[in-house]
Amino acid sequence: MSIMSLNQITKALCNAPTIIVDCSEYKELINVQYEIPYHRPDIIKIQPNEQDDDVERKYIMNHSEHSLEYLIEDRNSRRAVFPITYVNGMGKCICLVHLFIRDQKLHINEYFRSQNFQRNFEYDCETACMVMENCLNILNKHELFEYDQIEPGTITVFCANLHIKLKRS
């Protein structure tokens, strides 16, 4: 699986075969990997499409903070990972988030069960940047990182099903 650019994803979705799920037509890509360019989310610009999206964001922000304990204890830890389970023990679309530090950079891997490219892509990207910013602020304020600041690294997304819903004519 190679990392796809936004242009490659858009083109691939346009050329993807149409499938029918729950009486709706979709174009989908399976097992997509892409990187989100980090930017400082100074102002939240993108509104959630559903209330669950906001719940998911808050859950991720809260649990990413708790996962930092592993990185504060051992900056080379691979254990700063958490599953997304919040609604009746079931997550929505993001399944797992993994935080790790290498070469003085914080990296984030996100694993999606499903992602709606039209409705959630930008919101999910903004959420990932917010997590990066929040985690960097917490780590860099900690006394162990005071003279050894952590920089933003990559935000990589592994998506099992990236799709667009087709409009009925």
Side-chain angles (χ1 to χ4, degrees):
M1 181 180 343
S2 62
I3 295 175
M4 294 179 77
S5 70
L6 184 58
N7 288 338
Q8 289 171 320
I9 290 171
T10 303
K11 186 176 181 179
L13 277 170
C14 289
N15 295 324
T18 301
I19 64 160
I20 297 174
V21 178
D22 297 328
C23 300
S24 295
E25 292 182 344
Y26 292 88
K27 289 196 174 262
E28 69 175 356
L29 300 176
I30 305 298
N31 297 330
V32 175
Q33 180 180 346
Y34 62 88
E35 286 187 359
I36 297 171
Y38 170 71
H39 65 279
R40 290 184 166 223
D42 297 324
I43 301 172
I44 297 174
K45 303 174 198 141
I46 302 165
Q47 296 301 310
N49 283 303
E50 299 175 20
Q51 184 178 353
D52 283 353
D53 295 331
D54 191 46
V55 171
E56 187 174 58
R57 176 180 274 180
K58 289 175 182 168
Y59 182 95
I60 291 168
M61 294 297 288
N62 184 39
H63 282 74
S64 61
E65 290 179 16
H66 294 300
S67 294
L68 292 178
E69 294 171 14
Y70 290 107
L71 297 177
I72 289 169
E73 187 177 303
D74 175 6
R75 72 174 54 212
N76 294 315
S77 177
R78 298 181 298 270
R79 299 177 89 181
V81 61
F82 58 95
I84 310 300
T85 54
Y86 56 87
V87 179
N88 298 324
M90 189 72 169
K92 191 164 187 247
C93 293
I94 302 174
C95 299
L96 188 81
V97 176
H98 181 209
L99 309 167
F100 60 98
I101 298 171
R102 295 294 180 270
D103 300 322
Q104 293 304 110
K105 293 183 179 182
L106 176 66
H107 300 277
I108 299 174
N109 288 343
E110 291 185 322
Y111 299 86
F112 282 70
R113 170 191 62 79
S114 180
Q115 186 178 39
N116 185 317
F117 190 70
Q118 294 154 307
R119 294 182 52 172
N120 297 90
F121 183 80
E122 289 180 338
Y123 186 80
D124 291 338
C125 290
E126 183 179 67
T127 298
C129 290
M130 290 172 67
V131 168
M132 175 71 81
E133 182 74 10
N134 190 47
C135 290
L136 286 170
N137 286 337
I138 292 168
L139 287 172
N140 287 329
K141 287 179 183 172
H142 194 279
E143 61 188 27
L144 293 175
F145 297 94
E146 186 178 358
Y147 299 106
D148 209 8
Q149 296 285 284
I150 304 299
E151 299 289 324
T154 58
I155 302 171
T156 305
V157 175
F158 302 88
C159 185
N161 181 291
L162 181 68
H163 59 273
I164 56 172
K165 185 175 181 178
L166 301 175
K167 296 185 175 156
R168 300 227 173 204
S169 39

